[in-house]
């Protein structure tokens, strides 16, 4: 049996070949972009890409953990709409309100996420259903609160979206740090390990006495928290929140996760792939912009990328 | 250590256990035997806190206990190796072994280097050579079982329960397991051991308890029972001949399945085999010798790097399972949960799954016809279930196996390949599966049986092809078939050297 053991490359690395493909695609797009336009190559454009990817990166990060457990969070879009509308609505132009509202929004995001988690645990209903329901509830609430843009934020608030540290966009730096922290958590914390285990084999996890409830609360709570961050960021970027800010984010947040190699069935993948996926999509949109094609084509291109990417990851069935 | 009295448990429509008693003492190996569906696994799941009993008392270490969840039983020192493994395919071997008991450094973070090191020490202590860094999904079933066993050694357990641990391992690995169990027993661990392999029960157990139809039949010291007595207590009648008579001597059958020069990347090299009509050909060898891979390659389920296949004299290029099936070849896989049954469908749907056209009328599935067929097969195979509409997920392992054999036996007009057809099947049902296999052969079907159980190979086959390290090492027929002859072909190395992966890859 030893004689027949497969070649001992690190199994993980081989399993994640797909991520390399995404990285390669990134490079190809970069080179392609450099060819078609001089302006593409400018530092400011590259920083611009990073800047544009911040919101998507935040939501996708939370989404990655939910999908790793074999679930999904379909409430992110409405959650962002609600939280961003509340952000500008409650700050209402007052500088003194910025900090308390920001903290409150993050806590509220966390709380909604934990509600998702609790419902999933108690009702034993698939997360798809729970979060889909939650999404409708939240969308209803935000429309009750306001039918259009609400309140405003002080001009200095756009620092979050457009400010720079050491010449780099704040959002982009924050994203890198946050992704790194979550990657470390997944790798070095026991709970991180359990996230993979629950996604890999939920019944097995129960038989082994692993803390499924804690896992669910953590990932959905975290996803809610990420929506809070995204909401604040987007409010800063657009200077005001409105009830449809997050509309596209539900589906958009799943794309980079899948493109980044995380299995929709859970148990395999990671946040690093998601980050690459986010950059790939932002870069693609940017390049298409330079090519002067309409945004409709951007959508089409995105869709094709998702399908192509997923086909790379499909586990080649070993037998029958 | 463990004392169950009057435990009952019913599932919707099934009384799985009715008032059973069981006591397991510290420092003993207590065997639990019974037919498929006798309630052995259900008992285990109650002890493990997976199911709550409807009635009865459970005492652990002299105190009455009630588990609310599996974690409670685990924390109390009960470790279970389930019939269906609890392994996480996308985690590595080391991560699986220490799942729930992560190796951590001073700061509370998971210590990957130590996890790896400890896992490799543990596996070495067990006596197996498995790379702790490999993903569990890449291991053979036998190796997965060894990983599953090593999980029991991670922390001190008071009661170790094993549900058919030797269903997928044999020979050396089984001996390693028994040695480990003996050591644990000496340390005072109580061991509850479920198995359908009676030989090993006489080899390792101190006492044995027999269940039948969810009831307790007897508990005896192993010295006080004979094999025949045990069997008759299990099945409720005397079983005289386990194996049906073989094909009478005479003309060998016509070759219907022929493969030459088959190689499967890293697993099989240049193997050829012929399977004849009306005969049962066994493919024997140690677990990991490449038997499944060879058969799968021929069936088209695994890519062959070289080789040709003839079905009924006709060469089939680029074979896929679909073409194989359409040409009358069937394959009963060894892993019924993963590759065989649709666990959520009912018995009727599973039986007709490989040949839906047989039950399709005017483009629609005729459920009446499907159920009728299922009822016939349930009788034929004596499947214990509530009828055609029983969901297979709720059936005992042995009965699931009968369903899958029934499915393929219906569609395979020429060749039926069975990979470990009686794994996890009780003696009574085994006899029936043997009878059916012989009956199919009698109808002129060529049967290829992969088996690790030597008595089964010797008792059933007209011809035995032995594999070793990915290659065919010999063929035996008629009176030459004996356990010794097979073992020597399965283990001997003419060069005195174990071939390495590089040699095999050539
Ligand atoms: N979850 C369930 N739902 C409904 N019925 C069940 C369930 N689990 C077990 N049963 C039924 O309870 C009975 C006992 O099953 P159990 O799995 O304990 O048998 P077993 O002795 O372990 O058999 P085997 O040797 O085949 O593993 C069977 O009739 C089975 O169909
Ligand atoms: Mg069982």
């Amino acid at each position: 049996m030893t004689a027949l053991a497969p070649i001992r490359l690190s199994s993980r690395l081989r399993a994640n070949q797909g991520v390399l493909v995404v990285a390669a695609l990134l490079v190809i797009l970069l080179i392609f972009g450099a060819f078609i336009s001089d302006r593409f190559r400018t530092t400011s454009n590259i920083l611009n890409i990073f800047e544009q990817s911040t919101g998507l990166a935040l939501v996708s990060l939370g989404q990655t953990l939910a999908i790793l457990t074999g679930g999904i969070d379909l409430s992110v879009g409405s959650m962002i709409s609600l939280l961003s509308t509340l952000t500008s609505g409650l700050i209402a132009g007052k500088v003194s309100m910025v900090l308390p509202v920001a903290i409150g929004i993050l806590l509220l995001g966390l709380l909604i996420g934990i509600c998702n988690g609790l419902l999933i645990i108690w009702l034993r209903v698939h997360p798809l259903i729970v979060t889909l329901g939650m999404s409708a509830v939240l969308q209803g609430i935000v429309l009750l609160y306001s039918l259009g843009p609400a309140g405003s934020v002080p001009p200095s608030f756009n620092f979050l979206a457009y400010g720079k540290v050491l010449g780099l966009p704040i959002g982009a730096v924050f994203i890198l740090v946050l992704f790194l922290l979550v990657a470390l958590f997944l790798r070095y914390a026991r709970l991180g390990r359990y996230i993979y285990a629950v996604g890999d084999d939920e019944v097995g996890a129960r038989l082994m006495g692993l803390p499924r409830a804690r896992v669910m609360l953590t990932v959905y709570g975290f996803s809610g928290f990420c929506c809070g961050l995204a909401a604040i960021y987007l409010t800063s970027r657009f200077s005001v929140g409105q009830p449809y800010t997050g509309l596209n984010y539900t589906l958009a947040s799943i794309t980079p996760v899948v493109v980044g190699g995380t299995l929709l069935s859970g148990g395999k993948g990671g946040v690093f792939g998601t980050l690459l996926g986010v950059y790939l999509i932002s870069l693609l949109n940017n390049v298409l912009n330079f090519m002067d094609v309409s945004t409709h084509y951007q959508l089409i291109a995105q869709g094709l990328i998702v399908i192509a990417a997923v086909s790379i990851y499909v586990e080649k069935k070993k037998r029958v | 250590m463990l004392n169950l009295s009057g435990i009952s448990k019913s599932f919707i429509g099934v009384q799985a256990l009715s008032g059973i008693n069981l006591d397991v003492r510290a420092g003993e190996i207590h065997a639990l035997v019974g037919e498929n569906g006798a309630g052995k696994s259900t008992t285990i799941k109650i002890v493990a806190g997976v199911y709550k009993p409807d009635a009865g008392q459970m005492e652990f270490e002299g105190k009455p206990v009630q588990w609310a969840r599996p974690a409670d039983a685990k924390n109390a020192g009960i470790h279970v190796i389930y019939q269906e493994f609890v392994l996480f395919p996308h985690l590595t071997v080391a991560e699986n072994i220490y799942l729930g008991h992560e190796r951590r450094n001073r700061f509370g973070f998971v210590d990957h280097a130590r996890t790896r090191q400890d896992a490799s020490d543990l596996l070495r202590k067990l006596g197996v050579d498995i790379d702790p860094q490999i993903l569990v999904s890449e291991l053979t079933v036998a190796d997965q079982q060894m990983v599953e066993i090593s999980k029991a050694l991670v922390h001190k357990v008071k009661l170790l329960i094993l549900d058919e641990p030797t269903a997928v391992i044999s020979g050396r690995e089984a001996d390693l397991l028994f040695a480990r169990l003996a050591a644990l027993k000496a340390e005072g661990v109580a061991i509850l051991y479920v198995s359908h392999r009676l030989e090993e029960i006489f080899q390792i157990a101190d006492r044995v308890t027999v269940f039948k139809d969810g009831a307790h039949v007897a508990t005896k010291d192993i010295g006080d029972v004979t094999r025949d007595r045990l069997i008759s207590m299990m099945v409720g009648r005397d079983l005289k001949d386990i194996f049906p008579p073989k094909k009478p001597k005479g003309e060998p059958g016509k070759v219907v399945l022929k493969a030459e020069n088959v190689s499967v990347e890293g697993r099989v090299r240049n193997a050829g085999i012929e399977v004849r009509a009306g005969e049962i050909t066994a493919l024997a060898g140690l677990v990991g010798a490449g038997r499944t891979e060879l058969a799968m390659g021929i069936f088209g389920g695994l890519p062959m790097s070289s080789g040709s296949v003839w079905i009924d004299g006709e060469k089939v290029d680029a074979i896929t399972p679909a073409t194989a099936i359409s040409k009358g070849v069937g394959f009963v896989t060894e892993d019924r949960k993963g590759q065989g049954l649709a666990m959520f469908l009912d018995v009727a749907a599973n039986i007709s799954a490989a040949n839906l056209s047989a039950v399709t009328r005017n483009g629609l599935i005729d459920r009446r016809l499907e159920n009728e067929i299922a009822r016939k097969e349930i009788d034929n195979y004596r499947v214990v279930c509530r009828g055609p509409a029983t969901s297979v997920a709720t059936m005992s392992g042995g009965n699931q196996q009968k369903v899958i054999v029934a499915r393929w036996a219906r569609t395979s007009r020429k060749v039926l390949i069975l990979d470990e057809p009686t794994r996890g099947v009780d003696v009574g049902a085994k006899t029936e599966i043997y009878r059916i296999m012989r009956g199919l052969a009698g109808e002129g079907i060529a049967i290829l049986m992969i088996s690790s159980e030597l008595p089964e190979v010797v008792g059933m086959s007209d011809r035995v092809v032995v594999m070793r390290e990915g290659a065919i090492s010999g063929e035996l027929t008629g009176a030459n078939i004996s356990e010794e002859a097979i073992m020597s072909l399965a283990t001997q190395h003419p060069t005195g050297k174990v071939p390495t992966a590089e040699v095999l890859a050539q």
Side-chain angles (χ1 to χ4, degrees):
Chain A
M1 169 196 6
T2 40
L4 290 162
I7 318 142
R8 312 207 155 169
L9 238 167
S10 160
S11 298
R12 274 273 156 69
L13 193 69
R14 259 182 305 140
N16 285 344
Q17 277 166 348
V19 172
L20 298 180
V21 177
V22 178
L25 273 178
L26 261 173
V27 174
I28 293 172
L29 263 179
L30 274 174
I31 296 173
F32 182 70
F35 261 109
I36 57 167
S37 165
D38 283 343
R39 273 184 305 131
F40 178 85
R41 262 176 294 182
T42 56
T43 334
S44 74
N45 181 50
I46 299 295
L47 292 182
N48 188 24
I49 296 172
F50 275 110
E51 212 170 88
Q52 280 167 357
S53 60
T54 302
L56 185 60
L58 286 168
V59 204
S60 305
L61 180 60
Q63 191 68 269
T64 307
L65 297 204
I67 291 180
L68 274 179
T69 64
I72 198 160
D73 189 347
L74 294 184
S75 64
V76 292
S78 320
M79 210 176 333
I80 291 173
S81 298
L82 173 68
L83 295 175
S84 73
T85 312
L86 284 178
T87 304
S88 58
L90 294 176
I91 289 177
K94 292 192 279 292
V95 178
S96 62
M97 286 300 284
V98 168
L99 199 60
V101 169
I103 292 172
I105 289 294
L106 292 180
L107 288 179
L108 185 58
L110 186 68
L111 197 73
I112 298 174
I114 288 178
C115 281
N116 276 332
L118 286 174
L119 289 172
I120 290 165
I121 297 165
W122 284 337
L123 304 179
R124 294 171 187 243
V125 175
H126 193 278
L128 190 97
I129 306 298
V130 170
T131 56
L132 191 64
M134 180 62 83
S135 162
V137 170
L138 296 177
Q139 190 65 51
I141 291 177
V142 65
L143 287 172
L144 280 178
Y145 176 74
S146 163
L147 284 173
S152 64
V153 291
S156 58
F157 193 67
N158 76 7
F159 172 73
L160 286 179
Y162 301 106
K164 293 209 162 60
V165 276
L166 305 170
L168 299 168
I170 286 190
V173 175
F174 182 74
I175 287 297
L176 287 176
V177 174
L178 192 63
F179 270 72
L180 188 66
L181 286 177
V182 176
L184 290 174
F185 164 78
L186 286 177
R187 185 160 165 75
Y188 289 104
R190 300 179 72 174
L191 202 57
R193 173 71 46 80
Y194 300 153
I195 288 177
Y196 284 95
V198 167
D200 209 346
D201 180 352
E202 193 164 346
V203 178
R206 192 176 109 80
L207 289 178
M208 290 203 46
L210 302 183
R212 174 177 180 268
R214 210 158 13 115
V215 165
M216 291 302 174
L217 291 181
T218 306
V219 301
Y220 289 96
F222 181 69
S223 179
F225 182 78
C226 286
C227 288
L229 289 172
I232 293 172
Y233 170 81
L234 291 174
T235 316
S236 154
R237 200 168 143 82
F238 301 130
S239 306
V240 69
Q242 49 99 353
Y244 293 105
T245 304
L247 191 63
N248 291 324
Y249 275 96
T250 303
L251 279 181
S253 70
I254 297 168
T255 310
V257 180
V258 177
V259 169
T262 297
L263 285 188
L264 265 181
S265 51
K268 181 176 158 190
V271 294
F272 186 60
T274 301
L275 190 59
L276 287 183
V278 169
Y279 288 151
L280 183 68
I281 287 161
S282 306
L283 188 63
L284 179 74
N285 288 342
N286 186 270
V287 169
L288 291 176
N289 265 334
F290 274 103
M291 288 171 69
D292 265 339
V293 288
S294 88
T295 42
H296 309 313
Y297 285 108
Q298 296 188 11
L299 261 183
I300 294 175
Q302 253 187 52
L304 292 180
I305 280 220
V306 176
I307 297 172
V310 174
S311 71
I312 301 174
Y313 297 115
V314 171
E315 295 209 330
K316 300 278 177 289
K317 282 263 160 87
K318 291 211 178 96
R319 290 170 187 175
V320 196
Chain B
M1 180 68 70
L2 174 76
N3 197 340
L4 305 180
S5 55
I7 296 275
S8 294
K9 173 78 192 171
S10 62
F11 299 102
I12 314 136
V14 196
Q15 186 74 32
L17 294 174
S18 30
I20 54 105
N21 303 318
L22 181 68
D23 83 298
V24 187
R25 302 173 192 153
E28 79 162 342
I29 299 184
H30 193 123
L32 178 58
V33 299
E35 287 181 288
N36 295 130
K40 305 177 297 290
S41 299
T42 305
T43 307
I44 289 173
K45 287 186 176 155
I46 286 175
V47 175
V50 178
Y51 297 149
K52 287 190 194 61
D54 302 337
Q57 269 83 51
M58 173 159 51
E59 281 178 21
F60 188 63
E61 296 188 288
K63 290 184 289 285
V65 288
Q66 267 180 323
W67 312 130
R69 59 186 70 84
D72 295 348
K74 195 172 164 235
N75 294 336
I78 297 177
H79 185 92
V80 186
I81 297 176
Y82 291 97
Q83 198 170 357
E84 321 76 25
F85 313 137
V86 182
L87 289 176
F88 299 84
H90 292 121
L91 295 183
T92 65
V93 169
E95 287 166 350
N96 263 285
I97 292 177
Y98 288 100
L99 194 63
H101 301 272
E102 281 71 22
R103 290 302 181 238
R104 286 182 293 173
N105 61 20
R106 274 178 297 148
F107 310 106
F109 297 127
V110 175
D111 186 336
H112 292 273
R114 216 176 109 216
T115 306
R116 221 158 32 232
Q117 188 54 49
D118 287 3
S120 122
D121 291 348
L122 195 66
L123 291 164
R124 200 160 331 115
K125 185 170 146 204
L126 190 64
V128 289
D129 183 17
I130 298 173
D131 183 350
Q133 275 180 276
I134 241 165
L135 295 183
V136 157
S137 56
E138 297 180 24
L139 295 179
T140 61
V141 211
D143 282 352
Q144 291 184 359
Q145 180 66 279
M146 296 318 273
V147 171
E148 190 62 287
I149 290 166
S150 67
K151 276 161 57 183
L153 309 175
V154 165
H155 56 122
K156 261 202 98 43
V157 300
K158 293 175 183 150
L159 170 64
L160 176 60
I161 304 179
L162 303 99
D163 197 351
E164 298 189 34
T166 49
V168 295
I169 56 177
S170 61
R172 200 182 87 87
E173 275 124 348
D175 289 338
L176 292 173
L177 168 65
F178 298 155
R180 202 38 57 196
L181 291 182
L184 289 172
K185 174 178 137 178
E187 289 169 23
V189 176
I191 298 170
L192 181 62
Y193 189 92
V194 176
S195 177
H196 288 297
R197 294 194 175 177
L198 300 182
E199 311 86 61
E200 64 191 31
I201 284 171
F202 283 98
Q203 188 186 338
I204 63 168
D206 300 301
R207 292 194 300 155
V208 57
T209 291
V210 182
F211 280 5
K212 177 160 176 53
D213 298 333
H216 178 267
V217 177
T219 297
K220 301 257 190 222
D221 283 334
I222 200 76
D224 296 344
V225 284
T226 62
R227 190 189 145 88
D228 290 346
R229 180 83 197 99
L230 206 55
I231 292 177
S232 74
M233 282 195 291
M234 280 166 64
V235 299
R237 66 195 141 94
D238 284 331
L239 262 191
K240 279 187 293 297
D241 299 310
I242 294 186
F243 301 111
K246 294 193 183 182
K247 173 170 172 282
K249 275 223 177 53
E251 280 294 288
K254 174 172 159 262
V255 175
V256 268
L257 176 67
K258 183 170 133 182
E260 264 177 16
N261 206 16
V262 174
S263 296
V264 173
E265 190 77 35
R267 294 286 176 182
V268 180
R269 70 198 144 101
N270 303 336
I273 192 168
E274 292 180 345
V275 191
R276 293 162 187 273
E279 291 188 6
I280 296 181
T281 305
L283 191 49
L286 300 179
V287 172
R291 297 164 303 169
T292 299
E293 288 79 3
L294 170 59
M296 264 297 172
I298 296 174
F299 186 64
L302 268 184
M304 290 190 278
S305 43
S306 75
S308 342
V309 179
W310 289 262
I311 297 173
D312 221 5
E314 180 195 340
K315 188 157 190 285
V316 186
D317 292 317
I319 193 161
T320 64
T323 47
I325 291 169
S326 73
K327 294 192 183 303
V329 182
F331 199 121
V332 177
T333 54
E334 64 179 323
D335 164 17
R336 57 180 167 252
K337 189 176 156 199
Q339 300 167 10
L341 293 165
M343 296 305 268
F344 294 113
L345 294 184
D346 60 22
V347 175
N350 267 292
I351 289 180
S352 53
N355 190 8
L356 273 180
S357 55
V359 292
T360 307
R361 296 280 168 272
N362 309 322
L364 296 174
I365 292 177
D366 183 346
R367 281 294 298 188
R368 277 247 303 283
L369 180 62
E370 198 177 36
N371 282 335
E372 201 174 294
I373 292 173
R375 247 187 301 274
K376 214 173 77 204
E377 297 296 353
I378 288 170
D379 279 353
N380 193 6
Y381 287 73
R382 294 178 215 164
V383 180
V384 183
C385 67
R386 275 170 296 138
T390 315
S391 144
V392 292
T394 66
M395 291 167 52
S396 75
N399 283 304
Q400 292 176 351
Q401 184 69 2
K402 292 188 212 166
V403 169
I404 203 165
V405 174
R407 170 202 298 170
W408 288 108
R410 289 193 63 79
T411 54
S412 317
R413 287 166 286 112
K414 295 209 179 90
V415 185
L416 182 57
I417 305 173
L418 301 113
D419 196 354
E420 306 283 3
T422 63
R423 170 193 296 165
V425 174
D426 69 58
V427 263
K430 251 183 203 167
T431 327
E432 281 151 32
I433 291 181
Y434 293 151
R435 179 177 56 79
I436 286 157
M437 282 169 63
R438 190 44 80 182
L440 291 170
E443 290 167 22
I445 290 173
I447 295 201
L448 179 62
M449 169 184 79
I450 300 174
S451 173
S452 306
E453 269 189 80
L454 288 178
E456 171 171 292
V457 173
V458 174
M460 283 301 290
S461 30
D462 305 304
R463 193 181 294 275
V464 181
V465 176
V466 187
M467 282 185 82
R468 180 182 65 227
E469 306 278 0
I472 304 287
S473 60
E475 185 171 326
L476 303 163
T477 49
N480 292 331
I481 301 174
S482 70
E483 296 198 13
E484 295 71 34
I486 297 169
M487 263 332 263
S488 95
L489 283 172
T491 54
Q492 162 202 45
H493 301 296
T495 58
K497 256 179 37 210
V498 181
T500 57
E502 294 84 78
V503 175
L504 284 168
Q506 285 170 4

